[in-house]
Amino acid sequence: MKIAYKLTLAMVGGLALIVLIMAAYPYFVTTGALEKTRESIGYSTVMVLNTTGLQTAKVVAYSDAAFISSYMRQNGITTVDGLVRDPVIGRSLSKLHYTSNPEVVKARVSIVIKNQSGIYILTYSTGTIKVEPLASIESESLKGLIEKAVSSGTDTFVSGTYSFRNSERFGAFYVPTEQPLNNALLVVWVDIPKGSYVTNAFGELTEEDIIDNILKNLDPIKGAIATSVVIGGLLSVLTILVLVFIVNREISSPIVKLAETSEKIADGEIEISVPHQDRDDEIGILAKAIERVRRSLEIAVKTLEEFA
Amino acid sequence: MVTTEEFQRLLVKKVGPIGKVFLKKAMESLEIDEITDDNVELVLEILKLNPVMKKYIAEIEEELR
């Protein structure tokens, strides 16, 4: 049973190693790729926290889990009333419904900007909050608002009504920066009509835009899967080689040696030394049995020689 | 306490099946039917008369101690 135990241990160990690497490697690489995907469209991710009876809502764009935890701690936020789904990662929840009583809910919006140089933040008449790079601005009326913001200085909230993609919106906040903003926390008050929803901030992005963005970042995932298959294959070969080595060293080689010894005994070399008698497994049992037969033969033959 | 079965098992373990043949002959020559603590030394002495078997009997004596 000892040999079977060794072989089982080697096989299980080898297979576990293969499974671990084949599963863990793509997991880490895929997670990295997904994070990268989220970075690339991170500006459009919105997380909504802590709407209260005081008619305020804190909205944090770019829902980095560590940041959210720290933000909640720093701001004494203990409850989360609603979360907006991150469509790429698929973390979290649903739309947020404001149930406070006034006609218009005043919401305090806190937005963290990561690696964006020149962005604008829009609040739609529906309550949707959208953060986009400056480069994608198409609306002439919005450009007008932004020019107004720029001329009035940085970090200035500028409000007004404008038309954007055939839909009337209100509110614009422009952050002109020469250097990319990283982890900058911007706070702005916006009006959100009673009963409106804060939806995920993909807003005007079409499904096609989103799919393109995701597909663009699938290459590392494909690469990770291919690499894991190659590594898994190599590990399988390595495991087989190790198993062959163990089988050869522990079983085949001793059996060949014992077979040669038995043949020599049968040929009359009755004083030959039988190897592997010290082993504590099936090979040892076989070796000891051959040694007993050898001794019997030795005694019989020599006794007969004496009396012949 | 030594018994015939135990002694025979030990003998076969050390020298193989031929041990049974030699044990039978030794017991016949000593005119005994059973091996006991009293006669085991005599049996061993008889078996040691075979010069080839002598070296293996030493191993049995070692175990019996």
Side-chain angles (χ1 to χ4, degrees):
Chain A
M1 292 309 288
K2 304 252 167 131
I3 290 173
Y5 174 73
K6 282 179 191 169
L7 281 175
T8 306
L9 198 68
M11 286 175 79
V12 170
L15 288 174
L17 190 66
I18 291 169
V19 169
L20 188 71
I21 292 188
M22 286 189 81
Y25 184 73
Y27 172 79
F28 285 117
V29 177
T30 305
T31 305
L34 284 174
E35 285 297 327
K36 198 177 157 195
T37 302
R38 201 159 72 94
E39 288 271 349
S40 68
I41 52 176
Y43 61 84
S44 62
T45 301
V46 169
M47 190 171 187
V48 181
L49 301 171
N50 201 38
T51 56
T52 69
L54 300 174
Q55 304 164 10
T56 62
K58 289 172 182 170
V59 182
V60 178
Y62 200 86
S63 56
D64 179 89
F67 169 77
I68 293 295
S69 303
S70 141
Y71 181 83
M72 286 177 72
R73 259 198 317 278
Q74 284 170 11
N75 291 278
I77 299 168
T78 53
T79 58
V80 176
D81 294 337
L83 298 172
V84 177
R85 180 181 293 281
D86 177 333
V88 178
I89 303 297
R91 283 173 188 169
S92 108
L93 309 178
S94 56
K95 296 172 179 179
L96 173 66
H97 188 190
Y98 291 90
T99 54
S100 305
N101 54 357
E103 291 299 312
V104 174
V105 175
K106 206 77 167 163
R108 182 171 182 266
V109 183
S110 305
I111 298 173
V112 174
I113 309 300
K114 287 209 171 187
N115 296 319
Q116 296 292 341
S117 164
I119 60 153
Y120 64 91
I121 300 161
L122 313 177
T123 59
Y124 295 176
S125 55
T126 57
T128 304
I129 295 163
K130 188 169 175 64
V131 184
E132 284 193 353
L134 188 57
S136 65
I137 293 176
E138 293 171 3
S139 163
E140 286 303 320
S141 56
L142 180 58
K143 278 182 181 169
L145 273 177
I146 291 168
E147 279 167 16
K148 192 175 162 192
V150 172
S151 62
S152 63
T154 58
D155 295 349
T156 305
F157 177 67
V158 177
S159 63
T161 305
Y162 59 92
S163 173
F164 186 65
R165 293 188 185 174
N166 303 321
S167 170
E168 192 167 271
R169 315 288 165 77
F170 70 95
F173 183 69
Y174 173 59
V175 187
T177 55
E178 289 181 3
Q179 296 299 320
L181 294 171
N182 197 14
N183 291 322
L185 182 66
L186 308 173
V187 179
V188 59
W189 289 86
V190 296
D191 291 337
I192 299 175
K194 181 188 172 190
S196 66
Y197 289 85
V198 176
T199 66
N200 84 55
F202 270 104
E204 300 298 324
L205 284 180
T206 63
E207 269 184 29
E208 211 172 297
D209 292 333
I210 298 168
I211 291 167
D212 282 351
N213 220 331
I214 293 171
L215 288 179
K216 197 173 68 188
N217 289 285
L218 278 181
D219 286 344
I221 298 173
K222 288 179 191 166
I225 292 167
T227 309
S228 78
V229 168
V230 171
I231 290 176
L234 289 174
L235 273 176
S236 302
V237 171
L238 191 67
T239 305
I240 290 167
L241 287 176
V242 169
L243 281 174
V244 166
F245 174 75
I246 291 172
V247 168
N248 187 47
R249 195 189 64 176
E250 296 292 319
I251 304 172
S252 303
S253 180
I255 286 178
V256 168
K257 206 91 170 134
L258 286 172
E260 286 170 359
T261 305
S262 301
E263 200 168 17
K264 283 178 183 170
I265 292 169
D267 287 343
E269 290 184 47
I270 51 176
E271 289 185 26
I272 194 170
S273 168
V274 178
H276 302 301
Q277 289 184 62
D278 54 341
R279 281 180 57 157
D280 190 25
D281 56 15
E282 290 84 347
I283 298 290
I285 293 170
L286 183 62
K288 286 181 193 107
I290 292 173
E291 170 65 7
R292 285 207 302 276
V293 172
R294 186 200 69 76
R295 285 183 180 187
S296 272
L297 270 174
E298 183 190 14
I299 293 165
V301 168
K302 288 190 176 173
T303 305
L304 277 173
E305 279 174 355
E306 203 176 308
F307 289 100
Chain B
M1 185 176 155
V2 182
T3 63
T4 308
E5 288 74 26
E6 189 190 341
F7 187 85
Q8 184 174 290
R9 184 189 56 76
L10 196 56
L11 189 61
V12 170
K13 186 180 153 193
K14 293 296 175 189
V15 300
I18 204 163
K20 284 184 187 175
V21 178
F22 278 84
L23 179 62
K24 190 181 169 189
K25 291 292 173 194
M27 287 172 74
E28 279 174 8
S29 66
L30 289 169
E31 295 182 337
I32 56 173
D33 297 324
E34 293 291 330
I35 296 174
T36 63
D37 288 341
D38 296 331
N39 59 24
V40 68
E41 289 295 332
L42 267 176
V43 174
L44 287 168
E45 288 306 317
I46 296 290
L47 290 173
K48 276 198 276 189
L49 291 175
N50 183 313
V52 189
M53 193 178 272
K54 190 176 179 180
K55 55 185 174 184
Y56 303 125
I57 295 300
E59 293 177 20
I60 296 173
E61 285 177 326
E62 188 72 27
E63 287 205 24
L64 284 175
R65 280 193 206 111

